[in-house]
Amino acid sequence: MATTTIEKPKKYRSKKTSERINKIATYAFMILLSIIILYPIAITVLSAFKAGNTTAFTLYFGGEFSLASFQRLFADTDYLRWYGNTLLIALLTMSFQVVIVTLAGYAYSRYRFKGRKNSLTFFLLIQMVPTMAALTAFFVLALLLGALDQPWFLTVIYIGGGIPMNTWLMKGYFDTIPRDLDESARMDGAGHLRIFWQIVAPLAKPMIAVQALWAFMGPFGDFMLAKFLLRSPENMTLAVGLQTFISNPRDQEVTLFAAGAILIALPICILFFLLQKNFVSGLTSGGTKG
Amino acid sequence: MTEKQQLGTKHARQAGLLSIVPGIGQIYNKQLSKGIIFLAILAVFIYFTVTFGIQAITGLITLGTEAGRDHSMFMMVEGALALIIYVIFLIGYIINIYDAVSVGRMRDRGIKTAKTFKEIISNVWENGFPYLLTMPAYILMAFVIIFPVLVTIFMAFTNYDLYHTPPANLIDWVGFKNFFSLFTQASWRETFFSILSWTFIWTICATVFSIVLGITVAIVSNQSFIKGKRFFRIIFLLPWAVPAFITILTFSNMFNDSIGAINTQVIPFFNTIFPFLELTSIPWKTDPTWTKVAVIMIQTWLGFPYIFVMVTGVLQSIPGDLYEAANMDGATGWQQFMKITLPMILFATAPVLITQFTFNFNNFSLIYLFNAGGPGNIGGGAGSTDILISWIYKLTTSGTPQYAVAAAVTLLISSFTILVAYLGFKRSNAFGNEDMM
């Protein structure tokens, strides 16, 4: 202690200037980064409210404020239909996946049964199989089943594809809930279902909410599978549909795209920021502890 | 043990032997209703084998003998389905023997066993509960993950392409030919290896840059003097919160050579502030090198918030007295960073880094949406920024599809990512402390 108090005055001045430099550099860095992040986002938002159509995104604050793009979006395109399709797929995916994953995660966390450890390793390995590995097969399968361009086929794949990873995360979360609670309930004669339903599941609500959000957001963000398996405009999801607005380099409907993008990004961002605390802790507890 | 010797019966062995025919062992154990159910399942098995199984398995072996009549792809898919169902039956068969032996053992020890239907049901509910809970997950995974992966594996060993398209033509097994031709046939090899090397450069650069930026931002913005932390945090999280396909498509437009915002707005802006730079328009989408630079920059933009959030969490959980102690020992700021902060960050985020790596290895959306893998053509239908996964997409969906080669490439990259992830998780101990609680 004594040495530090004696040394301090010597370094004092240089420390102060270096601190100031650090402060300036820090703020400069953070502001610069903010600009780089906000630039494309601001461009998109501004473009959505522009009158007429432009072919390129540029940052331009002038011009007339207009909702014409939104009107055109609803009146002249399949946008609302895509929104409906995506919502339906997302809700179905969410409900089925949350139930399946919660039950499986609970079983792996609370019961010791034959084959448990092997199947857990199997879950961890199979979650690493990229969706890609099944893509050609999905395509051929869809051709054979006549399921190409069928939203239900896509939904089943979304539900099944998320199971291994999410079961693993769910189990990780259940592991953090003390076992004393359910053990004492068991002593009192509560059955399997009651312990799960009345004691453990309510405590796992934050993670269940996160799982639901992920499962719900998946179909909104997925481009690859939907592009692969859906063909006709009326069956498309938002990601595939929006892409058609600007996929043709000669005829880019930029303002239309921007308007459509905002209506997707806004609700997703709100959900994201409301739940971000939850899912960050969910990710770390499930991901690192196993 | 003593009880068993007292009774001197050999029910366990007897029941086990008898259950070679499912159900008989259970009936021997005086569990009539269970035995009947098992016998009924046996009947289903026989019916399935006669009506579907034999034909499906032989179909899988021959893949059809007469073009026009036999649809090779149907046969392969049916064969894969039959295989999975047979594996399920096999598991059931093992359970049957196991059940007969364990009930027999209970009888040997004089323990009361369930006999009536009701008792058996409640027994299954009590002891089989975890299996009931995991059943839906397994059934769905069997059909949505295992089944298609199996079909992909099969396809990789056939000659399925444009010229062998059922039902007009038959598909044949060709062994490892597709894998060999990827490495030996000059045209395939050149394409494959040039895509492979770019895939690795891409994966490593995109992953490392987002990690470095994420860690930097976390450390910089975690300094105590900063005001408006929450405000900055929201901004820094935006690239993660906005669905990626939206930002990728926006960037794709912004990087357009002639009309994009980067060339028409950002570069002129820099030229106004720093006239001596004299930057010219950059061919972002027509020059392979610049396209590569662009996609790596965009992925860094997209990927860093995730790392930033993780690392911020870690930083806030490092106990302050560690730094106090280091201060007392006279450690400099840099030493503290290298010896305390960085190891802590790397330790806690290792599994996340692995998933980032495999994610970028398979990052189809960015490559495809930014410039459709272009510019140019490097053979095999691939453009100069195609990574393996987007090449597979093109192989499958092009006018001259190469399903078999696509499947072979898929198998190669899947086994690679699984291996990397497995080794990574193993080293970072995701398996290690499992089962200790």
Side-chain angles (χ1 to χ4, degrees), chain A residues 22-23 26-27 29-31 33-34 36-41 43-44 55-59 100 103-104 106-109 111-114 116-117 119-130 132-134 136-141 144 156-157 159-161 163-164 168 171 175 192-193 220-221 223-224 227-228 238-239 242-243 246 252 254 257 261 264-265 268-269 272-273 276 279-280 283-284 287-290, chain B residues 71 73-74 77 98 125-126 129-131 133-134 136-138 140-141 144-149 151-152 155 160 213 216-217 220-221 223 225-227 232-243 245-247 249-251 253-254 259-262 264-266 301 304 306 309-310 328 348 351 362 364-365 368-369 389 392-393 396-397 403 406-407 410 413-414 417-418 421-422 425 429-431 433-435 437:
Chain A
N22 177 39
K23 252 186 191 178
T26 299
Y27 278 114
F29 173 76
M30 288 176 52
I31 289 168
L33 188 65
S34 304
I36 296 174
I37 290 171
L38 290 176
Y39 180 62
I41 294 174
I43 284 181
T44 318
T55 46
F57 284 119
T58 42
L59 193 62
I100 292 172
L103 292 180
Y106 178 74
Y108 278 110
S109 170
Y111 293 91
R112 296 293 171 269
F113 50 92
K114 242 195 164 59
R116 172 178 177 277
K117 198 149 190 201
S119 55
L120 260 179
T121 314
F122 173 75
F123 267 69
L124 199 65
L125 286 181
I126 206 167
Q127 107 189 8
M128 295 160 195
V129 176
M132 204 55 227
T136 334
F138 283 146
F139 188 72
V140 174
L141 207 63
L144 296 181
V156 173
I157 295 176
I159 298 171
I163 287 178
W168 189 258
K171 174 205 166 276
D175 283 347
H192 293 293
L193 272 185
F220 280 89
F223 177 78
M224 181 167 71
K227 172 83 184 164
F228 221 63
L238 283 167
L242 270 193
Q243 194 237 356
I246 60 172
Q252 300 213 340
V254 167
F257 169 81
I264 304 168
I268 297 249
C269 281
F272 181 93
F273 283 108
Q276 52 130 337
F279 65 68
V280 170
L283 266 184
T284 37
T288 56
K289 276 175 81 186
Chain B
H71 192 299
M73 233 13 243
F74 268 118
V77 166
Y98 176 79
W125 179 253
E126 274 311 307
F129 193 67
Y131 296 104
L133 288 180
T134 47
Y138 275 103
L140 212 61
M141 272 169 30
V144 175
I145 302 177
I146 298 171
F147 172 55
V149 168
V151 173
T152 308
M155 244 192 293
Y160 188 17
L213 184 62
T216 313
V217 176
V220 167
S221 66
Q223 296 175 96
F225 64 82
I226 292 169
K227 295 196 175 68
F232 279 116
R233 185 182 160 94
I234 288 179
I235 293 180
F236 294 163
L237 282 184
L238 275 174
W240 185 14
V242 178
F245 79 92
I246 292 178
T247 29
L249 287 170
T250 308
F251 275 123
N253 185 290
M254 286 170 62
I259 55 168
I262 305 287
T264 62
Q265 204 167 37
V266 177
W301 189 96
F304 92 87
Y306 186 67
V309 170
M310 294 276 139
M328 281 218 271
N362 294 306
F364 170 82
S365 306
Y368 182 78
L369 290 178
I389 201 146
I392 293 171
Y393 175 84
T396 317
T397 55
Y403 299 112
T410 307
I413 72 172
S414 306
T417 34
I418 291 176
Y422 177 75
F425 276 118
N429 225 5
F431 293 121
N433 43 21
E434 151 63 18
D435 235 357
M437 67 287 171

Side-chain angles (χ1 to χ4, degrees), chain A residues 32, chain B residues 266-279:
Chain A
L32 183 70
Chain B
V266 177
I267 289 179
F269 175 74
F270 274 113
N271 282 337
T272 338
I273 316 181
F274 313 106
F276 51 88
L277 276 178
E278 289 174 10
L279 296 168

